[in-house]
PDB file of all heavy atoms in Angstrom:
ATOM      1  N   PRO V  57      68.879  88.806  67.700  1.00  0.00           N
ATOM      2  CA  PRO V  57      69.343  87.668  68.571  1.00  0.00           C
ATOM      3  C   PRO V  57      70.741  87.110  68.094  1.00  0.00           C
ATOM      4  O   PRO V  57      70.969  86.993  66.897  1.00  0.00           O
ATOM      5  CB  PRO V  57      68.267  86.606  68.376  1.00  0.00           C
ATOM      6  CG  PRO V  57      67.092  87.348  67.830  1.00  0.00           C
ATOM      7  CD  PRO V  57      67.637  88.548  67.071  1.00  0.00           C
ATOM      8  N   GLY V  58      71.530  86.841  69.027  1.00  0.00           N
ATOM      9  CA  GLY V  58      72.847  86.263  68.748  1.00  0.00           C
ATOM     10  C   GLY V  58      73.682  86.127  69.965  1.00  0.00           C
ATOM     11  O   GLY V  58      73.505  86.879  70.944  1.00  0.00           O
ATOM     12  N   LEU V  59      74.613  85.226  69.922  1.00  0.00           N
ATOM     13  CA  LEU V  59      75.496  84.927  71.051  1.00  0.00           C
ATOM     14  C   LEU V  59      76.291  86.211  71.470  1.00  0.00           C
ATOM     15  O   LEU V  59      76.398  86.519  72.678  1.00  0.00           O
ATOM     16  CB  LEU V  59      76.467  83.821  70.767  1.00  0.00           C
ATOM     17  CG  LEU V  59      77.522  83.502  71.784  1.00  0.00           C
ATOM     18  CD1 LEU V  59      76.927  83.025  73.114  1.00  0.00           C
ATOM     19  CD2 LEU V  59      78.514  82.524  71.264  1.00  0.00           C
ATOM     20  N   GLU V  60      76.828  86.906  70.479  1.00  0.00           N
ATOM     21  CA  GLU V  60      77.699  88.034  70.798  1.00  0.00           C
ATOM     22  C   GLU V  60      76.907  89.159  71.487  1.00  0.00           C
ATOM     23  O   GLU V  60      77.425  89.828  72.416  1.00  0.00           O
ATOM     24  CB  GLU V  60      78.391  88.585  69.554  1.00  0.00           C
ATOM     25  CG  GLU V  60      77.484  89.126  68.464  1.00  0.00           C
ATOM     26  CD  GLU V  60      76.940  88.132  67.504  1.00  0.00           C
ATOM     27  OE1 GLU V  60      76.983  86.925  67.778  1.00  0.00           O
ATOM     28  OE2 GLU V  60      76.392  88.541  66.456  1.00  0.00           O
ATOM     29  N   TYR V  61      75.647  89.342  71.122  1.00  0.00           N
ATOM     30  CA  TYR V  61      74.847  90.402  71.756  1.00  0.00           C
ATOM     31  C   TYR V  61      74.338  90.010  73.139  1.00  0.00           C
ATOM     32  O   TYR V  61      74.267  90.813  74.059  1.00  0.00           O
ATOM     33  CB  TYR V  61      73.679  90.789  70.855  1.00  0.00           C
ATOM     34  CG  TYR V  61      74.131  91.297  69.536  1.00  0.00           C
ATOM     35  CD1 TYR V  61      73.713  90.651  68.367  1.00  0.00           C
ATOM     36  CD2 TYR V  61      75.003  92.390  69.420  1.00  0.00           C
ATOM     37  CE1 TYR V  61      74.166  91.104  67.127  1.00  0.00           C
ATOM     38  CE2 TYR V  61      75.441  92.823  68.212  1.00  0.00           C
ATOM     39  CZ  TYR V  61      74.984  92.222  67.036  1.00  0.00           C
ATOM     40  OH  TYR V  61      75.432  92.604  65.844  1.00  0.00           O
ATOM     41  N   GLY V  62      74.075  88.677  73.264  1.00  0.00           N
ATOM     42  CA  GLY V  62      73.754  88.132  74.651  1.00  0.00           C
ATOM     43  C   GLY V  62      74.901  88.324  75.569  1.00  0.00           C
ATOM     44  O   GLY V  62      74.811  88.720  76.705  1.00  0.00           O
ATOM     45  N   LEU V  63      76.128  88.000  75.074  1.00  0.00           N
ATOM     46  CA  LEU V  63      77.322  88.140  75.876  1.00  0.00           C
ATOM     47  C   LEU V  63      77.551  89.604  76.190  1.00  0.00           C
ATOM     48  O   LEU V  63      77.938  89.949  77.322  1.00  0.00           O
ATOM     49  CB  LEU V  63      78.528  87.528  75.129  1.00  0.00           C
ATOM     50  CG  LEU V  63      79.764  87.173  75.958  1.00  0.00           C
ATOM     51  CD1 LEU V  63      79.388  86.306  77.157  1.00  0.00           C
ATOM     52  CD2 LEU V  63      80.762  86.468  75.082  1.00  0.00           C
ATOM     53  N   LEU V  64      77.341  90.514  75.254  1.00  0.00           N
ATOM     54  CA  LEU V  64      77.480  91.938  75.509  1.00  0.00           C
ATOM     55  C   LEU V  64      76.555  92.400  76.608  1.00  0.00           C
ATOM     56  O   LEU V  64      76.895  93.159  77.489  1.00  0.00           O
ATOM     57  CB  LEU V  64      77.243  92.722  74.212  1.00  0.00           C
ATOM     58  CG  LEU V  64      77.265  94.240  74.335  1.00  0.00           C
ATOM     59  CD1 LEU V  64      78.640  94.736  74.831  1.00  0.00           C
ATOM     60  CD2 LEU V  64      76.873  94.893  73.015  1.00  0.00           C
ATOM     61  N   GLY V  65      75.276  91.871  76.566  1.00  0.00           N
ATOM     62  CA  GLY V  65      74.320  92.229  77.579  1.00  0.00           C
ATOM     63  C   GLY V  65      74.738  91.787  78.969  1.00  0.00           C
ATOM     64  O   GLY V  65      74.639  92.566  79.905  1.00  0.00           O
ATOM     65  N   VAL V  66      75.256  90.586  79.126  1.00  0.00           N
ATOM     66  CA  VAL V  66      75.689  90.126  80.418  1.00  0.00           C
ATOM     67  C   VAL V  66      76.996  90.786  80.922  1.00  0.00           C
ATOM     68  O   VAL V  66      77.194  91.011  82.091  1.00  0.00           O
ATOM     69  CB  VAL V  66      75.775  88.600  80.599  1.00  0.00           C
ATOM     70  CG1 VAL V  66      74.437  87.923  80.413  1.00  0.00           C
ATOM     71  CG2 VAL V  66      76.771  87.969  79.606  1.00  0.00           C
ATOM     72  N   ILE V  67      77.873  91.118  79.965  1.00  0.00           N
ATOM     73  CA  ILE V  67      79.067  91.861  80.313  1.00  0.00           C
ATOM     74  C   ILE V  67      78.664  93.232  80.860  1.00  0.00           C
ATOM     75  O   ILE V  67      79.178  93.649  81.930  1.00  0.00           O
ATOM     76  CB  ILE V  67      80.013  91.977  79.102  1.00  0.00           C
ATOM     77  CG1 ILE V  67      80.685  90.655  78.841  1.00  0.00           C
ATOM     78  CG2 ILE V  67      81.042  93.067  79.339  1.00  0.00           C
ATOM     79  CD1 ILE V  67      81.430  90.621  77.525  1.00  0.00           C
ATOM     80  N   LEU V  68      77.747  93.916  80.201  1.00  0.00           N
ATOM     81  CA  LEU V  68      77.292  95.222  80.715  1.00  0.00           C
ATOM     82  C   LEU V  68      76.615  95.085  82.063  1.00  0.00           C
ATOM     83  O   LEU V  68      76.743  95.918  82.926  1.00  0.00           O
ATOM     84  CB  LEU V  68      76.376  95.887  79.668  1.00  0.00           C
ATOM     85  CG  LEU V  68      77.085  96.395  78.433  1.00  0.00           C
ATOM     86  CD1 LEU V  68      76.094  96.920  77.421  1.00  0.00           C
ATOM     87  CD2 LEU V  68      78.140  97.491  78.778  1.00  0.00           C
ATOM     88  N   PHE V  69      75.799  93.990  82.177  1.00  0.00           N
ATOM     89  CA  PHE V  69      75.178  93.766  83.531  1.00  0.00           C
ATOM     90  C   PHE V  69      76.231  93.580  84.587  1.00  0.00           C
ATOM     91  O   PHE V  69      76.116  94.128  85.636  1.00  0.00           O
ATOM     92  CB  PHE V  69      74.288  92.476  83.412  1.00  0.00           C
ATOM     93  CG  PHE V  69      73.780  92.050  84.752  1.00  0.00           C
ATOM     94  CD1 PHE V  69      72.719  92.682  85.364  1.00  0.00           C
ATOM     95  CD2 PHE V  69      74.438  91.058  85.488  1.00  0.00           C
ATOM     96  CE1 PHE V  69      72.281  92.348  86.614  1.00  0.00           C
ATOM     97  CE2 PHE V  69      74.013  90.727  86.788  1.00  0.00           C
ATOM     98  CZ  PHE V  69      72.933  91.361  87.294  1.00  0.00           C
ATOM     99  N   GLY V  70      77.304  92.790  84.308  1.00  0.00           N
ATOM    100  CA  GLY V  70      78.278  92.586  85.297  1.00  0.00           C
ATOM    101  C   GLY V  70      79.015  93.884  85.634  1.00  0.00           C
ATOM    102  O   GLY V  70      79.315  94.139  86.840  1.00  0.00           O
ATOM    103  N   LEU V  71      79.263  94.713  84.654  1.00  0.00           N
ATOM    104  CA  LEU V  71      79.867  96.017  84.937  1.00  0.00           C
ATOM    105  C   LEU V  71      78.993  96.941  85.816  1.00  0.00           C
ATOM    106  O   LEU V  71      79.505  97.582  86.702  1.00  0.00           O
ATOM    107  CB  LEU V  71      80.220  96.712  83.584  1.00  0.00           C
ATOM    108  CG  LEU V  71      81.403  96.110  82.802  1.00  0.00           C
ATOM    109  CD1 LEU V  71      81.470  96.788  81.419  1.00  0.00           C
ATOM    110  CD2 LEU V  71      82.708  96.225  83.546  1.00  0.00           C
ATOM    111  N   VAL V  72      77.714  96.965  85.472  1.00  0.00           N
ATOM    112  CA  VAL V  72      76.847  97.825  86.231  1.00  0.00           C
ATOM    113  C   VAL V  72      76.631  97.292  87.610  1.00  0.00           C
ATOM    114  O   VAL V  72      76.768  98.058  88.596  1.00  0.00           O
ATOM    115  CB  VAL V  72      75.467  97.959  85.516  1.00  0.00           C
ATOM    116  CG1 VAL V  72      74.436  98.632  86.397  1.00  0.00           C
ATOM    117  CG2 VAL V  72      75.609  98.717  84.213  1.00  0.00           C
ATOM    118  N   ALA V  73      76.377  96.025  87.771  1.00  0.00           N
ATOM    119  CA  ALA V  73      76.159  95.404  89.133  1.00  0.00           C
ATOM    120  C   ALA V  73      77.392  95.544  89.997  1.00  0.00           C
ATOM    121  O   ALA V  73      77.332  96.029  91.111  1.00  0.00           O
ATOM    122  CB  ALA V  73      75.796  93.929  88.989  1.00  0.00           C
ATOM    123  N   GLY V  74      78.580  95.249  89.428  1.00  0.00           N
ATOM    124  CA  GLY V  74      79.805  95.371  90.197  1.00  0.00           C
ATOM    125  C   GLY V  74      80.129  96.840  90.523  1.00  0.00           C
ATOM    126  O   GLY V  74      80.597  97.094  91.619  1.00  0.00           O
ATOM    127  N   GLY V  75      79.848  97.714  89.564  1.00  0.00           N
ATOM    128  CA  GLY V  75      80.104  99.151  89.784  1.00  0.00           C
ATOM    129  C   GLY V  75      79.233  99.732  90.836  1.00  0.00           C
ATOM    130  O   GLY V  75      79.709 100.593  91.634  1.00  0.00           O
ATOM    131  N   LEU V  76      78.017  99.279  90.982  1.00  0.00           N
ATOM    132  CA  LEU V  76      77.108  99.800  92.015  1.00  0.00           C
ATOM    133  C   LEU V  76      77.362  99.188  93.395  1.00  0.00           C
ATOM    134  O   LEU V  76      77.080  99.764  94.411  1.00  0.00           O
ATOM    135  CB  LEU V  76      75.652  99.585  91.588  1.00  0.00           C
ATOM    136  CG  LEU V  76      75.185 100.499  90.448  1.00  0.00           C
ATOM    137  CD1 LEU V  76      73.772 100.056  89.986  1.00  0.00           C
ATOM    138  CD2 LEU V  76      75.223 101.944  90.812  1.00  0.00           C
ATOM    139  N   GLN V  77      77.915  97.973  93.415  1.00  0.00           N
ATOM    140  CA  GLN V  77      78.211  97.318  94.684  1.00  0.00           C
ATOM    141  C   GLN V  77      79.574  97.814  95.248  1.00  0.00           C
ATOM    142  O   GLN V  77      79.761  97.869  96.445  1.00  0.00           O
ATOM    143  CB  GLN V  77      78.320  95.778  94.503  1.00  0.00           C
ATOM    144  CG  GLN V  77      77.017  95.136  94.203  1.00  0.00           C
ATOM    145  CD  GLN V  77      77.204  93.694  93.831  1.00  0.00           C
ATOM    146  OE1 GLN V  77      78.284  93.245  93.491  1.00  0.00           O
ATOM    147  NE2 GLN V  77      76.077  92.946  93.801  1.00  0.00           N
ATOM    148  N   TRP V  78      80.507  98.155  94.321  1.00  0.00           N
ATOM    149  CA  TRP V  78      81.821  98.485  94.754  1.00  0.00           C
ATOM    150  C   TRP V  78      81.973  99.616  95.819  1.00  0.00           C
ATOM    151  O   TRP V  78      82.797  99.446  96.731  1.00  0.00           O
ATOM    152  CB  TRP V  78      82.754  98.830  93.586  1.00  0.00           C
ATOM    153  CG  TRP V  78      84.145  99.150  93.981  1.00  0.00           C
ATOM    154  CD1 TRP V  78      85.091  98.260  94.356  1.00  0.00           C
ATOM    155  CD2 TRP V  78      84.690 100.449  94.090  1.00  0.00           C
ATOM    156  NE1 TRP V  78      86.237  98.969  94.690  1.00  0.00           N
ATOM    157  CE2 TRP V  78      86.007 100.296  94.569  1.00  0.00           C
ATOM    158  CE3 TRP V  78      84.193 101.739  93.836  1.00  0.00           C
ATOM    159  CZ2 TRP V  78      86.843 101.405  94.752  1.00  0.00           C
ATOM    160  CZ3 TRP V  78      85.032 102.802  94.063  1.00  0.00           C
ATOM    161  CH2 TRP V  78      86.364 102.647  94.509  1.00  0.00           C
ATOM    162  N   PRO V  79      81.207 100.682  95.739  1.00  0.00           N
ATOM    163  CA  PRO V  79      81.392 101.716  96.746  1.00  0.00           C
ATOM    164  C   PRO V  79      81.231 101.217  98.185  1.00  0.00           C
ATOM    165  O   PRO V  79      81.925 101.667  99.096  1.00  0.00           O
ATOM    166  CB  PRO V  79      80.276 102.722  96.420  1.00  0.00           C
ATOM    167  CG  PRO V  79      80.094 102.595  94.978  1.00  0.00           C
ATOM    168  CD  PRO V  79      80.268 101.097  94.671  1.00  0.00           C
ATOM    169  N   LEU V  80      80.405 100.098  98.380  1.00  0.00           N
ATOM    170  CA  LEU V  80      80.289  99.559  99.729  1.00  0.00           C
ATOM    171  C   LEU V  80      81.473  98.680 100.064  1.00  0.00           C
ATOM    172  O   LEU V  80      81.744  98.438 101.225  1.00  0.00           O
ATOM    173  CB  LEU V  80      78.992  98.760  99.847  1.00  0.00           C
ATOM    174  CG  LEU V  80      77.721  99.554  99.737  1.00  0.00           C
ATOM    175  CD1 LEU V  80      76.524  98.601  99.811  1.00  0.00           C
ATOM    176  CD2 LEU V  80      77.568 100.539 100.818  1.00  0.00           C
ATOM    177  N   LEU V  81      82.173  98.216  99.056  1.00  0.00           N
ATOM    178  CA  LEU V  81      83.261  97.272  99.266  1.00  0.00           C
ATOM    179  C   LEU V  81      84.654  97.958  99.181  1.00  0.00           C
ATOM    180  O   LEU V  81      85.682  97.275  99.330  1.00  0.00           O
ATOM    181  CB  LEU V  81      83.258  96.177  98.249  1.00  0.00           C
ATOM    182  CG  LEU V  81      82.066  95.215  98.314  1.00  0.00           C
ATOM    183  CD1 LEU V  81      81.935  94.357  97.052  1.00  0.00           C
ATOM    184  CD2 LEU V  81      82.136  94.342  99.533  1.00  0.00           C
ATOM    185  N   ARG V  82      84.674  99.237  98.946  1.00  0.00           N
ATOM    186  CA  ARG V  82      85.960  99.937  98.599  1.00  0.00           C
ATOM    187  C   ARG V  82      86.992  99.893  99.730  1.00  0.00           C
ATOM    188  O   ARG V  82      88.180  99.999  99.435  1.00  0.00           O
ATOM    189  CB  ARG V  82      85.728 101.343  98.101  1.00  0.00           C
ATOM    190  CG  ARG V  82      85.249 102.318  99.140  1.00  0.00           C
ATOM    191  CD  ARG V  82      85.025 103.678  98.454  1.00  0.00           C
ATOM    192  NE  ARG V  82      84.539 104.667  99.391  1.00  0.00           N
ATOM    193  CZ  ARG V  82      83.285 104.833  99.743  1.00  0.00           C
ATOM    194  NH1 ARG V  82      82.342 104.113  99.182  1.00  0.00           N
ATOM    195  NH2 ARG V  82      82.932 105.757 100.635  1.00  0.00           N
ATOM    196  N   ARG V  83      86.577  99.693 100.936  1.00  0.00           N
ATOM    197  CA  ARG V  83      87.544  99.560 102.069  1.00  0.00           C
ATOM    198  C   ARG V  83      88.306  98.280 101.944  1.00  0.00           C
ATOM    199  O   ARG V  83      89.490  98.161 102.170  1.00  0.00           O
ATOM    200  CB  ARG V  83      86.888  99.679 103.398  1.00  0.00           C
ATOM    201  CG  ARG V  83      87.842  99.542 104.534  1.00  0.00           C
ATOM    202  CD  ARG V  83      87.212  99.888 105.832  1.00  0.00           C
ATOM    203  NE  ARG V  83      88.177  99.735 106.926  1.00  0.00           N
ATOM    204  CZ  ARG V  83      87.995 100.035 108.185  1.00  0.00           C
ATOM    205  NH1 ARG V  83      86.805 100.529 108.548  1.00  0.00           N
ATOM    206  NH2 ARG V  83      88.892  99.826 109.095  1.00  0.00           N
ATOM    207  N   GLU V  84      87.567  97.178 101.609  1.00  0.00           N
ATOM    208  CA  GLU V  84      88.157  95.864 101.424  1.00  0.00           C
ATOM    209  C   GLU V  84      88.757  95.683 100.072  1.00  0.00           C
ATOM    210  O   GLU V  84      89.728  94.933  99.891  1.00  0.00           O
ATOM    211  CB  GLU V  84      87.134  94.777 101.708  1.00  0.00           C
ATOM    212  CG  GLU V  84      86.497  94.819 103.093  1.00  0.00           C
ATOM    213  CD  GLU V  84      87.522  94.448 104.173  1.00  0.00           C
ATOM    214  OE1 GLU V  84      88.533  93.733 103.865  1.00  0.00           O
ATOM    215  OE2 GLU V  84      87.249  94.828 105.323  1.00  0.00           O
ATOM    216  N   ILE V  85      88.169  96.301  99.054  1.00  0.00           N
ATOM    217  CA  ILE V  85      88.617  96.169  97.669  1.00  0.00           C
ATOM    218  C   ILE V  85      88.904  97.550  97.172  1.00  0.00           C
ATOM    219  O   ILE V  85      88.058  98.204  96.519  1.00  0.00           O
ATOM    220  CB  ILE V  85      87.541  95.469  96.829  1.00  0.00           C
ATOM    221  CG1 ILE V  85      87.081  94.137  97.473  1.00  0.00           C
ATOM    222  CG2 ILE V  85      87.997  95.227  95.436  1.00  0.00           C
ATOM    223  CD1 ILE V  85      85.894  93.494  96.842  1.00  0.00           C
ATOM    224  N   PRO V  86      90.112  98.059  97.455  1.00  0.00           N
ATOM    225  CA  PRO V  86      90.361  99.465  97.103  1.00  0.00           C
ATOM    226  C   PRO V  86      90.389  99.767  95.621  1.00  0.00           C
ATOM    227  O   PRO V  86      90.143 100.878  95.215  1.00  0.00           O
ATOM    228  CB  PRO V  86      91.749  99.729  97.737  1.00  0.00           C
ATOM    229  CG  PRO V  86      92.348  98.414  98.020  1.00  0.00           C
ATOM    230  CD  PRO V  86      91.238  97.476  98.168  1.00  0.00           C
ATOM    231  N   GLN V  87      90.708  98.764  94.816  1.00  0.00           N
ATOM    232  CA  GLN V  87      90.666  98.994  93.339  1.00  0.00           C
ATOM    233  C   GLN V  87      89.382  98.341  92.771  1.00  0.00           C
ATOM    234  O   GLN V  87      89.106  97.174  93.057  1.00  0.00           O
ATOM    235  CB  GLN V  87      91.873  98.368  92.721  1.00  0.00           C
ATOM    236  CG  GLN V  87      93.201  98.861  93.288  1.00  0.00           C
ATOM    237  CD  GLN V  87      93.376 100.338  93.024  1.00  0.00           C
ATOM    238  OE1 GLN V  87      93.020 100.833  91.992  1.00  0.00           O
ATOM    239  NE2 GLN V  87      93.957 101.069  94.005  1.00  0.00           N
ATOM    240  N   ILE V  88      88.715  99.117  91.952  1.00  0.00           N
ATOM    241  CA  ILE V  88      87.427  98.629  91.420  1.00  0.00           C
ATOM    242  C   ILE V  88      87.601  97.594  90.367  1.00  0.00           C
ATOM    243  O   ILE V  88      86.744  96.679  90.195  1.00  0.00           O
ATOM    244  CB  ILE V  88      86.565  99.810  90.900  1.00  0.00           C
ATOM    245  CG1 ILE V  88      85.186  99.362  90.583  1.00  0.00           C
ATOM    246  CG2 ILE V  88      87.286 100.459  89.651  1.00  0.00           C
ATOM    247  CD1 ILE V  88      84.191 100.493  90.197  1.00  0.00           C
ATOM    248  N   VAL V  89      88.721  97.553  89.640  1.00  0.00           N
ATOM    249  CA  VAL V  89      88.921  96.678  88.529  1.00  0.00           C
ATOM    250  C   VAL V  89      88.766  95.205  88.858  1.00  0.00           C
ATOM    251  O   VAL V  89      88.039  94.446  88.164  1.00  0.00           O
ATOM    252  CB  VAL V  89      90.257  96.994  87.826  1.00  0.00           C
ATOM    253  CG1 VAL V  89      90.530  95.954  86.709  1.00  0.00           C
ATOM    254  CG2 VAL V  89      90.256  98.423  87.238  1.00  0.00           C
ATOM    255  N   PRO V  90      89.385  94.697  89.951  1.00  0.00           N
ATOM    256  CA  PRO V  90      89.211  93.240  90.239  1.00  0.00           C
ATOM    257  C   PRO V  90      87.742  92.855  90.501  1.00  0.00           C
ATOM    258  O   PRO V  90      87.303  91.787  90.067  1.00  0.00           O
ATOM    259  CB  PRO V  90      90.053  93.019  91.473  1.00  0.00           C
ATOM    260  CG  PRO V  90      91.038  94.148  91.513  1.00  0.00           C
ATOM    261  CD  PRO V  90      90.363  95.264  90.922  1.00  0.00           C
ATOM    262  N   TRP V  91      87.043  93.720  91.150  1.00  0.00           N
ATOM    263  CA  TRP V  91      85.634  93.418  91.431  1.00  0.00           C
ATOM    264  C   TRP V  91      84.795  93.462  90.149  1.00  0.00           C
ATOM    265  O   TRP V  91      83.970  92.584  89.919  1.00  0.00           O
ATOM    266  CB  TRP V  91      85.071  94.409  92.413  1.00  0.00           C
ATOM    267  CG  TRP V  91      83.705  94.080  92.900  1.00  0.00           C
ATOM    268  CD1 TRP V  91      82.551  94.802  92.694  1.00  0.00           C
ATOM    269  CD2 TRP V  91      83.292  92.887  93.672  1.00  0.00           C
ATOM    270  NE1 TRP V  91      81.434  94.192  93.252  1.00  0.00           N
ATOM    271  CE2 TRP V  91      81.922  92.999  93.879  1.00  0.00           C
ATOM    272  CE3 TRP V  91      83.964  91.797  94.165  1.00  0.00           C
ATOM    273  CZ2 TRP V  91      81.210  92.023  94.563  1.00  0.00           C
ATOM    274  CZ3 TRP V  91      83.274  90.818  94.867  1.00  0.00           C
ATOM    275  CH2 TRP V  91      81.871  90.963  95.058  1.00  0.00           C
ATOM    276  N   LEU V  92      85.081  94.375  89.245  1.00  0.00           N
ATOM    277  CA  LEU V  92      84.367  94.446  88.000  1.00  0.00           C
ATOM    278  C   LEU V  92      84.689  93.219  87.137  1.00  0.00           C
ATOM    279  O   LEU V  92      83.808  92.614  86.517  1.00  0.00           O
ATOM    280  CB  LEU V  92      84.721  95.715  87.213  1.00  0.00           C
ATOM    281  CG  LEU V  92      84.195  97.022  87.787  1.00  0.00           C
ATOM    282  CD1 LEU V  92      84.633  98.208  86.954  1.00  0.00           C
ATOM    283  CD2 LEU V  92      82.684  97.020  87.916  1.00  0.00           C
ATOM    284  N   LEU V  93      85.991  92.877  87.084  1.00  0.00           N
ATOM    285  CA  LEU V  93      86.400  91.691  86.334  1.00  0.00           C
ATOM    286  C   LEU V  93      85.747  90.411  86.846  1.00  0.00           C
ATOM    287  O   LEU V  93      85.289  89.581  86.058  1.00  0.00           O
ATOM    288  CB  LEU V  93      87.890  91.535  86.354  1.00  0.00           C
ATOM    289  CG  LEU V  93      88.704  92.531  85.516  1.00  0.00           C
ATOM    290  CD1 LEU V  93      90.192  92.330  85.652  1.00  0.00           C
ATOM    291  CD2 LEU V  93      88.279  92.462  84.026  1.00  0.00           C
ATOM    292  N   ALA V  94      85.652  90.261  88.188  1.00  0.00           N
ATOM    293  CA  ALA V  94      85.026  89.096  88.790  1.00  0.00           C
ATOM    294  C   ALA V  94      83.567  89.029  88.367  1.00  0.00           C
ATOM    295  O   ALA V  94      83.059  87.934  88.028  1.00  0.00           O
ATOM    296  CB  ALA V  94      85.174  89.128  90.294  1.00  0.00           C
TER     297      ALA V  94
END
């Protein structure tokens, strides 16, 4: 348990969630990086 590992977990969650949603959004969001960062 620790803040850094909790943060790592949510960062990976954000990357996975954004990465799986992006293919549907690629017409509106042609670059994946802004969506992943958001």
Side-chain angles (χ1 to χ4, degrees):
L59 174 64
E60 63 276 14
Y61 301 121
L63 199 53
L64 175 62
V66 295
I67 287 170
L68 289 175
F69 171 80
L71 289 171
V72 170
L76 290 173
Q77 292 169 347
W78 179 76
L80 294 178
L81 295 167
R82 68 182 180 274
R83 180 171 179 175
E84 298 293 338
I85 307 172
Q87 303 298 321
I88 192 172
V89 173
W91 187 246
L92 291 179
L93 288 176

